[in-house]
């Protein structure tokens, strides 16, 4: 594939997201400095609510607080939680494991009820939980993973089956993985591919949602199965007819995506209700 102009690609993503409706108004939306100088954005209700840290997607190289602002507003409004979005450092300027370390630092600092992320954000969210687990530190009570990356080797069948013509192309995925993990040996390291970590015990209760026409579908499903086998309580669902990134604004043009969003919100509210 042609090597993308990353500066241009980032601007295109920002411009596309800037054309979407703002999302629900909330009593409090503010940016403030977090651990290590990371910028965080709080979506609050003016009173204490369970805190959900949100980690945006973008193939490790794209996205920021603004690209996922509408998504975070909708989660906060629909689920009655306070959302804390993380502006973690991006590859290739900051390759692995920087993003994992950034998210883990925020989880240590905020001690949230839950962590959530879409695509690469889901990958960073669950690996940050594993970092805390391995360090003997407390992990959030829940994790919500939406179309997550879980296998840097890109060897699952859906990468080939759905990796052309459905929005997330296999060639782009391979390029993005290279930006995140420049050395091939890194991509074989189980600690950088959650699906390959031998022991997944100790992870939080999980909601994991994939999409039928997503190149990452099979690695998400396999990760859900591995967690279930490790004794983790997992709610898994593959959304029929949808593509990767459906959580990002597709409700505006697709009734099927809008219904899928509502199911995610129901899942999150159920996790809140079930948490002691």
């Amino acid at each position: 594939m042609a090597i993308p102009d990353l500066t241009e690609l980032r601007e295109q993503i920002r411009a596309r997201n800037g054309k979407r409706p703002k999302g629900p108004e909330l009593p409090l939306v503010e940016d403030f400095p977090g651990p290590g100088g990371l910028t965080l954005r709080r979506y609050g209700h003016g009173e204490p609510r369970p805190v959900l840290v949100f980690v945006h997607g973008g193939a490790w190289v794209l996205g920021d607080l603004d690209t996922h602002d509408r998504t975070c507003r909708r989660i906060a409004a629909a689920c009655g939680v306070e959302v804390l979005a993380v502006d973690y450092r991006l590859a290739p300027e900051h390759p692995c494991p920087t993003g994992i370390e950034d998210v883990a630092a925020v989880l240590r600092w905020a001690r949230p009820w839950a962590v959530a992320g879409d695509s690469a954000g889901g990958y960073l969210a669950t690996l940050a939980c594993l970092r805390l687990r391995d360090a003997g530190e407390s992990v959030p009570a829940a994790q919500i993973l939406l179309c997550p990356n879980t296998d840097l080797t890109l060897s699952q069948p859906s990468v080939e089956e759905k990796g052309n013509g459905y929005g997330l192309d296999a060639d782009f995925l391979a390029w993005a993985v290279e930006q995140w993990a420049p050395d091939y040996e890194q991509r074989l390291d189980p600690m950088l591919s959650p699906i390959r970590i031998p022991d997944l015990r100790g992870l939080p209760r999980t909601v994991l949602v994939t999409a039928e026409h997503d190149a990452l579908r099979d690695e998400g499903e396999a990760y859900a199965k591995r967690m279930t086998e490790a004794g983790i309580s997992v709610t898994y669902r593959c959304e029929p007819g949808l593509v990767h990134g459906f959580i990002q604004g597709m409700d505006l043009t697709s009734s099927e995506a809008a219904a899928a969003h509502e199911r995610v919100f129901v899942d999150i509210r159920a996790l809140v209700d079930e948490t002691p």
Side-chain angles (χ1 to χ4, degrees):
M1 64 171 286
I3 297 174
D5 183 320
L6 192 50
T7 299
E8 181 179 344
L9 191 56
R10 286 171 175 169
E11 288 302 321
Q12 289 174 353
I13 294 294
R14 291 190 189 101
R16 184 172 67 198
N17 282 278
K19 295 178 181 178
R20 292 173 178 157
K22 182 178 179 181
E25 291 293 339
L26 294 163
L28 175 67
V29 178
E30 64 173 355
D31 293 358
F32 63 96
L38 296 171
T39 301
L40 307 179
R41 181 171 293 172
R42 176 184 288 120
Y43 300 83
H45 297 267
E47 61 184 28
R49 299 287 181 92
V51 175
L52 180 150
V53 166
F54 187 85
V55 189
H56 70 77
W60 303 283
V61 301
L62 303 168
D64 55 29
L65 297 178
D66 291 333
T67 60
H68 285 63
D69 182 75
R70 181 175 182 271
T71 298
C72 290
R73 286 174 180 270
R74 296 185 73 231
I75 292 172
C79 304
V81 297
E82 178 175 300
V83 174
L84 193 62
V86 184
D87 195 20
Y88 62 88
R89 290 170 288 179
L90 299 177
E93 297 90 341
H94 303 283
C96 70
T98 304
I100 303 167
E101 294 171 346
D102 286 351
V103 176
V106 173
L107 297 184
R108 289 189 185 99
W109 177 82
R111 299 182 66 84
W113 157 75
V115 61
D118 67 309
S119 191
Y123 166 96
L124 295 173
T126 198
L127 277 176
C129 287
L130 286 160
R131 282 288 183 99
L132 296 183
R133 180 205 68 171
D134 291 347
E137 302 175 67
S138 62
V139 299
Q143 61 178 358
I144 299 96
L145 312 178
L146 308 174
C147 299
N149 300 80
T150 69
D151 186 358
L152 294 189
T153 69
L154 302 178
S155 58
Q156 300 297 317
S158 60
V159 173
E160 181 174 352
E161 179 188 348
K162 302 294 183 179
N164 185 27
Y166 293 99
L168 181 61
D169 287 351
D171 285 349
F172 175 80
L173 266 174
W175 173 83
V177 167
E178 187 176 354
Q179 308 315 298
W180 167 246
D183 297 329
Y184 179 73
E185 292 300 319
Q186 292 176 303
R187 298 168 223 162
L188 301 179
D189 182 353
M191 294 310 295
L192 287 179
S193 287
I195 195 177
R196 297 176 180 274
I197 292 175
D199 184 1
L200 295 175
R201 289 175 296 177
L203 280 172
R205 180 166 189 155
T206 300
V207 168
L208 196 155
V209 182
T210 61
E212 179 184 3
H213 300 304
D214 182 6
L216 303 182
R217 180 196 64 207
D218 289 352
E219 60 194 73
E221 180 179 4
Y223 189 49
K225 182 178 180 182
R226 289 272 339 276
M227 284 190 288
T228 299
E229 291 170 347
I232 310 302
S233 175
V234 178
T235 297
Y236 171 74
R237 181 172 60 258
C238 179
E239 290 291 356
L242 296 183
V243 298
H244 185 79
F246 70 86
I247 197 67
Q248 271 288 89
M250 288 189 186
D251 60 297
L252 296 169
T253 57
S254 164
S255 59
E256 290 82 3
H261 287 200
E262 291 303 320
R263 286 188 283 273
V264 171
F265 299 155
V266 168
D267 289 334
I268 296 174
R269 290 195 296 267
L271 288 174
V272 173
D273 292 342
E274 293 165 7
T275 301

